[in-house]
Structure formats: structure tokens, C-alpha cells
Amino acid sequence: MCGIVGIADAEGVSFPLYYALFALQHRGQESAGISTFDAGKLHNHKAQGLIAEVFNRDILSRLTGSVGIGHVRYPTTGENRPENNQPLNFSFKGHLFSIVHNGNLVNSSLLSSEYEDEGHIFATTTDTEVIAAIIARELTRSGSMEEAINLCMQKLKGSYSVIAMLDGTIYAFRDPLGIKPLCIGRTENGYIVASESVAMDALGAEFLRDLKPGELVRIDSEGISCRQITRSNHNGHCLFEYVYFARSDSVIDGVLVYDVRKKIGEMLHREAPVQAEIISPVPDSGTAFATGYSEASGIPFKEGLIKNRYIGRTFIMPTQRLRESAVRMKLNPVRGHIAGKSVVLVDDSIVRGTTSRRIIDLVREFGAREVHFRVGSPPIIAPCYLGVDLPTRKELIAHNRPPEEVRSCISADSLHHISLESLIRATGHAPEDLCCGCLTGCYPLEIEGERSSCRSIDFVDGTYQTKLDV
């Protein structure tokens, strides 16, 4: 679920790219990078680590130019190694080319094998380089970046939001189902495309709209133009953007994420009311859900857990035992709020169940009389092939286990997941326009060995529009 951004602004882009990526840090913490174009030269800096660790004022000052792209990485394909850090940068036939990508291709291996058979050498293990290889080959044949992207999209299968920079012109495009988010905004002296609207908020830019699924946007010194490359008879927006990935203050495909999460909390109360004394979120992702649950139930909202902001991700620990121990470092119960109380803990999801069990045990250890667990997503029963690093079916606690057995495994007094029907209703989208693969085992496109819902995707002759049509 990487975060990507591209900016064209006459006042310079390195610092705006940095601030935008800072706003998207939640989408990836493994590595960060920025590439800028200035007077026929490509400037680049990227490394493993958080934004504040990778960049400083001196580095940003050296990234000159009025056009640039940036990336924060969350690994779904490709190992944790420096060459997989993005942007990926290339030079060929007099062109300077950079690319960033959010998503996951399900035919990446097939495509890379095809290109290797033709003599192409890949320097990374990411599917982003596969996209770059296709575009580069088609560009040398047609001489048109727009046509190269058109032909590339006909080959790609999976989820992708992509921002590419060719000789100082930005191209952004989104897969035909719109699985991963991408939106457009206007800065004081140019334009921005980014994974989420919060990147624009960080710059004081004007949010214009989301890219349409299958749309290509071009940004250069002339302004912005748009072209519809593909059309599908349905969308496939990722449900987990609304449940977990996106920041609560983002607008994703026309919907404010906070409102969705608050509605989910209200629906959780209606579906599974409980007599309790406090409603507490599992921070930070459970906060909006817990707010909705509290308001609907009339039970006070209180923080029963405080998060240590200086602890990183617990799942990077080398063993499960260390991951479980790290929960105590990351979350600390507020004894005065929970001792002797019946507590409703509200979280976004349960994956393996080990972290949920440890959190519940902690709350009991600090004196809670009862712990009821409410979850803002239905049970996760299947892996994700489209950009989320979920474990195999065998590792998913809800796979082939009834709810009562899951409740027992995590040691909760009661457990309730939001129903899929209520979750979909909370998003405001039609059921056929959402990807629910990890919740149903039925995916919006064909994946070998899995069930898919039938969707037709057509390639169309797009027409350029003026920037006023944005």
C-alpha cells in the first residue's frame, strides 16, 4: 500500500514532495525516495528508513527542479533490499525516466519472464520495474509516451496507481478497477497527484478530484490534460482503504474516510450492543470506530490504551515471541480507566489474532472486569493478491474457524465483527464496485486458483481534454 506523489510547480518541488510524503508516511515505512528533473538533469535520493531519517535540509536543497516524484514503500513484492527502493530511475535513447508505483501485479512473473526471454535484464525484484520495462520498450517503438502507457495498461493485470516522469513531464495512471487510490490537486503554481488527499492538505493545495479508474493524466508546463484509456463495467476499490490503510482525514473516491469509520462504529453497536462502562479504541486505527460506537451506545469514550509514538512496527521483529512482547512496549493500559470496569475494545481488524490476544490479556492484567472486542471489518479469511501483505490462509485466525472459536483464541468475553453488508453500506459504494477478496475469497479479476467475479474491461480511444475539464 505504498504512498506516491508527483508535483509540477514553478517554485520548486523537493520540499513540497517531502511534506507530501510525510503526510503519506502511514502508507509505507520501509524506504523513501524523491527524484526531480531540472535543466535536462535527473536528481535523486532514496534510502531505507522513514522520511525524516532519509532526508534533511541539505539533501532536499540539492534536489533542484520544478518537477518531481516521490515514494514511501510498503513491501508486497520484492525483498527488503536497497535496489528495490523507489523511485526507479532510467536513461535510454536520450530520455530520463523515473517511476513510482502503488499496488501489486498478479501477472508480474509472467511479464518479467517474457521480457527476460527477449534479453531484458532486471535489476530489482519489484513489479514496478516490469511496468517501467514495458513502457520503455513501447516508447522506443511508438515515440509517444501516451501510447506506450496505453499499450502497457493492456498488458498489466492487477492493482496499480503509477506516477512516471519523462524528461520533466509527469504521467499518472490508475488501473481499470481503481483498486488503489490516486487523486489530483492544484498548488499555487502547478499541480499535484498523490495517493491520498492529505498530501494536498499538507501543502495547502486544492483537492480537485480522484483519478477515474483507467484514466491517464499528463502534467507539464502547459497545464494538465486527461485521457480515458480503459473502462470497466464495475470498479474494484479496496475496502481496506476505508477500514485501515488511508488516513481518517483523507477523501478516497469521493468519500471521507473518517465518516465511513464512524458509521461502522455506529453499526457495530446496532449489530452487537453490550452492557459496558467504557468504549476504548485500540490506537490509533480504532479511534473513529470507537467514537461512532460510543455515540450510538451512549457509553463513555475513554482511552484505555495509550500508544508509545516512538515504537515502530512490531511485525518487523524476527520472531513471533518478540512481536508479542513488543506489544507491551507499544501499548500501555490506563489503569485508572479500566480497573474493575467492563470494557469494549474497538479495533480495525484481526489478522493472525496474536496481537489481539496480547492486547486483551494486557487490559485484563490491568484490572478490567470484562473485555468485549468489536472489529471494524468482517473476518479476514483469504489472502490479498492486490497490494496488501496478508499472510496465507493457514495463518489467518478466521480461516475455517467459527466466530466462537476465534473469540476463545483471543480470550475476549465477547467478539463481533461488522457484517459485510453493513461495511459496504458505510462506504456508500455499490457492492459490485468494491474489492472484498480478503473477506470473501472472491476477487474482482482473474487470479489463478481463486474465484473471481466476472468483470469486463474495455480499452477505448481516449480524447484529450483541457485543464478546465479536470
Side-chain angles (χ1 to χ4, degrees):
M1 65 168 189
C2 307
I4 61 176
V5 61
I7 301 176
D9 192 293
E11 295 297 311
V13 295
S14 63
F15 283 90
L17 283 167
Y18 174 82
Y19 296 134
L21 289 175
F22 218 107
L24 298 174
Q25 184 74 88
H26 60 285
R27 299 192 69 87
Q29 297 87 42
E30 183 181 275
S31 66
I34 291 173
S35 293
T36 61
F37 182 86
D38 183 32
K41 293 183 179 180
L42 191 65
H43 305 281
N44 175 66
H45 182 78
K46 56 183 177 178
Q48 291 176 296
L50 302 175
I51 293 291
E53 298 167 338
V54 172
F55 294 97
N56 58 38
R57 181 176 292 275
D58 289 340
I59 292 170
L60 291 169
S61 297
R62 292 196 294 269
L63 297 174
T64 57
S66 58
V67 182
I69 62 176
H71 186 268
V72 287
R73 184 167 192 254
Y74 165 89
T76 52
T77 61
E79 295 92 342
N80 180 1
R81 47 198 245 195
E83 56 264 40
N84 287 335
N85 300 343
Q86 297 184 34
L88 301 183
N89 301 290
F90 309 91
S91 61
F92 63 98
K93 290 189 175 295
H95 294 293
L96 294 174
F97 180 60
S98 298
I99 187 169
V100 292
H101 165 224
N102 172 32
N104 201 52
L105 303 181
V106 297
N107 64 339
S108 178
S109 297
L110 192 65
L111 289 170
S112 60
S113 294
E114 174 189 331
Y115 278 73
E116 284 173 340
D117 289 343
E118 296 179 3
H120 189 96
I121 298 173
F122 289 94
T124 76
T125 55
T126 68
D127 48 9
T128 310
E129 190 178 6
V130 176
I131 299 173
I134 298 171
I135 292 175
R137 185 175 73 174
E138 300 302 338
L139 180 60
T140 59
R141 290 176 175 178
S142 69
S144 165
M145 185 63 166
E146 291 85 353
E147 289 310 309
I149 292 172
N150 188 339
L151 292 166
C152 176
M153 292 177 72
Q154 294 185 42
K155 288 178 174 286
L156 302 182
K157 183 180 177 184
S159 67
Y160 54 90
S161 285
V162 176
I163 304 175
M165 181 172 64
L166 180 72
D167 301 332
T169 297
I170 287 178
Y171 300 86
F173 55 99
R174 193 178 181 193
D175 72 73
L177 296 174
I179 298 170
K180 294 299 174 187
L182 198 60
C183 56
I184 316 167
R186 194 195 313 269
T187 65
E188 188 172 343
N189 298 285
Y191 291 92
I192 174 175
V193 285
S195 293
E196 295 182 35
S197 61
V198 290
M200 297 161 196
D201 297 338
L203 303 180
E206 176 191 1
F207 170 75
L208 295 175
R209 64 170 176 85
D210 299 283
L211 262 76
K212 299 168 188 173
E215 184 179 23
L216 166 64
V217 167
R218 169 180 167 152
I219 302 172
D220 58 19
S221 58
E222 302 282 315
I224 186 167
S225 56
C226 313
R227 179 181 179 182
Q228 193 68 39
I229 300 292
T230 66
R231 285 197 183 94
S232 171
N233 58 4
H234 292 287
N235 295 323
H237 306 313
C238 174
L239 256 177
F240 261 77
E241 289 289 343
Y242 300 102
V243 170
Y244 175 68
F245 298 143
R247 262 178 47 172
S248 291
D249 48 340
S250 280
V251 176
I252 300 289
D253 289 303
V255 180
L256 178 61
V257 174
Y258 186 91
D259 287 347
V260 173
R261 293 177 183 169
K262 191 165 177 286
K263 287 177 186 176
I264 290 170
E266 295 168 358
M267 292 173 173
L268 274 170
H269 165 67
R270 295 193 193 103
E271 290 184 351
V274 62
Q275 294 295 320
E277 289 155 279
I278 72 163
I279 309 296
S280 172
V282 175
D284 290 314
S285 54
T287 301
F289 301 115
T291 300
Y293 197 105
S294 173
E295 290 185 6
S297 66
I299 302 170
F301 174 102
K302 280 192 176 182
E303 290 183 284
L305 295 161
I306 298 297
K307 183 177 181 180
N308 184 338
R309 308 292 174 189
Y310 302 97
I311 298 295
R313 300 166 298 164
T314 56
F315 67 79
I316 65 173
M317 299 293 182
T319 68
Q320 183 59 37
R321 183 176 179 180
L322 285 176
R323 283 194 290 270
E324 292 179 25
S325 298
V327 172
R328 183 182 288 273
M329 297 168 59
K330 192 170 186 176
L331 296 172
N332 191 53
V334 183
R335 192 185 298 273
H337 288 178
I338 63 178
K341 301 287 179 60
S342 175
V343 180
V344 176
L345 286 179
V346 189
D347 204 357
D348 58 89
S349 59
I350 302 176
V351 183
R352 291 180 177 89
T354 51
T355 299
S356 300
R357 169 67 185 256
R358 191 71 187 113
I359 290 170
I360 291 169
D361 287 347
L362 265 178
V363 173
R364 288 194 193 282
E365 184 182 324
F366 275 66
R369 188 177 77 255
E370 295 176 339
V371 182
H372 303 275
F373 214 65
R374 297 295 180 265
V375 187
S377 70
I380 299 171
I381 63 168
C384 176
Y385 300 92
L386 300 170
V388 185
D389 193 19
L390 286 177
T392 63
R393 281 180 168 84
K394 288 183 179 179
E395 297 174 280
L396 295 168
I397 191 172
H399 177 66
N400 283 342
R401 280 192 179 94
E404 179 56 27
E405 187 176 340
V406 175
R407 182 206 62 76
S408 178
C409 287
I410 66 172
S411 74
D413 288 288
S414 72
L415 168 67
H416 182 75
H417 293 261
I418 191 74
S419 67
L420 182 59
E421 179 185 3
S422 291
L423 173 57
I424 291 172
R425 192 160 63 247
T427 69
H429 290 296
E432 62 270 19
D433 286 334
L434 294 165
C435 176
C436 312
C438 61
L439 309 175
T440 63
C442 185
Y443 300 86
L445 50 84
E446 289 186 11
I447 298 171
E448 186 176 354
E450 299 287 358
R451 292 185 297 128
S452 66
S453 52
C454 295
R455 313 238 173 150
S456 67
I457 297 172
D458 299 317
F459 284 82
V460 299
D461 292 327
T463 302
Y464 280 103
Q465 303 167 6
T466 69
K467 62 183 179 181
L468 299 177
D469 292 324
V470 170

